[in-house]
Amino acid sequence: MKLRTHYWLLAFCIVCPVAVFFSIALDMLLTSQRAVAMRHIEESARSARQELDAEIRRAQSVLRALAYSQSLDSGDYARFYREALAANAGQGAWMILYDEEGQQLANTRLAYGDRLPRRPDVGVLKSMIASDKGLVSSVKWGPALQQHFVTVEQPVTTPSGRRYVLSQAFTPSYFTRTYAGRVIPDSWPVWVIDGKGTMISRRDSGEAKTGNPVPADVMMAIRAAPSGSLRHKSVDGTDIHGYFVHSALSDWAVIVGAPVAEINAAVLRGMSVAVAGFLLAIAAAVGLGVHTGKRLVRFVSNASRAARALGRESAVAVLRKSNIGEMEALNEAIREADARLRQEMESRAQAERERNELLERERAARTHAEEQNAAKDEFLAMLGHELRNPLGAITSAVAVLDHACLPGMPAEASARARDVLRRQSAHLRSLVDDLLEVNRALMGKLALNRQRMDLGEAVRSCVDMAQSSGKLKTHHVECTLAPSVVLGDGTRLAQVIDNILDNAVKYSPPGTRIAITVRQEGDEAVMSVRDEGVGITPDLLPHVFKVFVQGKQTLQRVQGGLGIGLTLVRRLVEMHGGVIAVMSAGANQGATVTVRLPSADAPQKALPVMAGEDAGAWWR
């Protein structure tokens, strides 16, 4: 009776803390739900910014590639027009070539030979040429287009001394399509704003306002910090929670917002589900407590009777016949003691074996770490060697320029010194670009602009470019290129082809043959590059795709490079849903690199996710 009279007091002591905890948990849950919603907006803004920067970076890469066009150096603008048309970003984008006076020489938006206008802001063009720095413009109005547009521009100086400005122009609709594939709800507005506070493009339910200034309070918040949240009203008066972030490659900014009502509704939905689950858990806990309490009372009662009957045979009989699992477990405890002791001895022996295995693993891990450290040291030594050679040449060229005015110094010495500076600076930039490119690929930060393209034509274009640059003049190249249509990013596949072709040239003696084939095998387009070079030893072959792997070399090696080309190639091929394989019969037996890509009409496979050391552990 006494226990029952305290039930209500016990219930009160339980319910009060539970109620306090429940109110605190609701408040924390509400705060957490709002934080999750705002974090989703922030992540969407940063993701949109990455897409925008990827488009700008792609345009800059294409412009830098076109700068080395032989047709541009020779003044063959018709051929350059075709090359620019092939490299153009797609619908809503076009290429423009200007001379030093702002006259358009080629415009892929128009047919070649059409009359082309002169650029109105010649001062900006001359400033770019003088500083040799590219520009990502603000919003411009095109009278001929009758719409707004933006440009990514790059000044170019050809080997023959010709000076141009290459421009990749985009309409606002191009960037609107860029966000179409992102996981951003259709009800969320996405704005792209230039540094002057002018709207570049927008995706929301309001009217298009491209070229108009954004509200003053929004622009003030954007200029006050590199990123942050803000709250403003949309064109139709809707309250918006937004997050802005600046582009890393321009003075543009991206704003992604969400209607406040939508955020509140999502929070309430999450709260209702959480509250229902919490109440269900409390009800289940109360029921389980009542059931367990009854069993506990019976267990205590039987234990009391058994304690009073200790020493009697009947007590053992009562315990053995008890229906309580805990009491029956007590009877089994003694019988299980011997078995438990044996199990404990076996467990200790097993633990000893596991400890020895752990020691072996630790030693293997230490050995692997030492090998990785040695690989790092070897890479740093080779990187230092790769950097020392151009830096030495640059230092010598600077010394020549310092003494160019001295009597007796040949007039052509200054020109040679400048050639050395340009060549070695380009080499240094190539090294740094390779390192940054493979890092972005391994970290999954590369974006593909996939479209239907002929792999055979892509290979033919890369081979033509290599031949025109003189890279293949000491080798015999045989091409057998069948039409094979794939869904691919032309720029990235050109990187793959160029890297494989560079390796074939680099590791093959002059006068040897390089065979390149493209063929269709079922649902796959297959590209094969076979050389007659130094080959790959069997111990190195399984590791050729690892970062910095180049085989045994000295710092005085003639091939150069950092050993990251095939790593980048494999990642780019896998991002296209394909596979790459390298085969070699051994040293001095040549090598064959085979790339298999799914055809454009074949079912597309899910892209692989890299893990382990291939996912980027090397740069730590």
Side-chain angles (χ1 to χ4, degrees), residues 71-86:
S71 59
L72 188 62
D73 186 34
S74 63
D76 186 355
Y77 302 126
R79 179 180 176 186
F80 178 80
Y81 174 87
R82 294 192 296 271
E83 294 174 354
L85 195 62

Side-chain angles (χ1 to χ4, degrees), residues 208-240:
K209 298 291 183 179
T210 301
N212 285 5
V214 299
D217 56 339
V218 174
M219 199 60 204
M220 185 180 300
I222 291 175
R223 288 173 175 168
S227 62
S229 58
L230 52 84
R231 185 165 176 171
H232 61 96
K233 289 187 177 296
S234 65
V235 176
D236 58 1
T238 305
D239 245 355
I240 299 294

Side-chain angles (χ1 to χ4, degrees), residues 19 71-72 81 117-118 146 246 332 376 477 515 563:
S71 59
L72 188 62
Y81 174 87
R118 179 185 173 89
Q146 289 299 304
H246 287 272
E332 296 292 333
K376 178 200 69 174
V477 180

Side-chain angles (χ1 to χ4, degrees), residues 383 386-387 390 426-436 562:
L383 178 60
E386 288 290 338
L387 295 177
H427 180 53
L428 286 174
R429 182 172 64 250
S430 176
L431 291 177
V432 175
D433 287 347
D434 285 348
L435 288 172
L436 294 177
L562 300 178

Side-chain angles (χ1 to χ4, degrees), residues 215-285:
D217 56 339
V218 174
M219 199 60 204
M220 185 180 300
I222 291 175
R223 288 173 175 168
S227 62
S229 58
L230 52 84
R231 185 165 176 171
H232 61 96
K233 289 187 177 296
S234 65
V235 176
D236 58 1
T238 305
D239 245 355
I240 299 294
H241 273 310
Y243 192 90
F244 67 91
V245 59
H246 287 272
S247 167
L249 302 177
S250 64
D251 60 355
W252 298 357
V254 177
I255 303 177
V256 175
V260 174
E262 183 177 330
I263 295 297
N264 292 338
V267 170
L268 290 178
R269 285 196 300 271
M271 287 286 294
S272 61
V273 172
V275 170
F278 189 75
L279 293 177
L280 183 61
I282 290 179

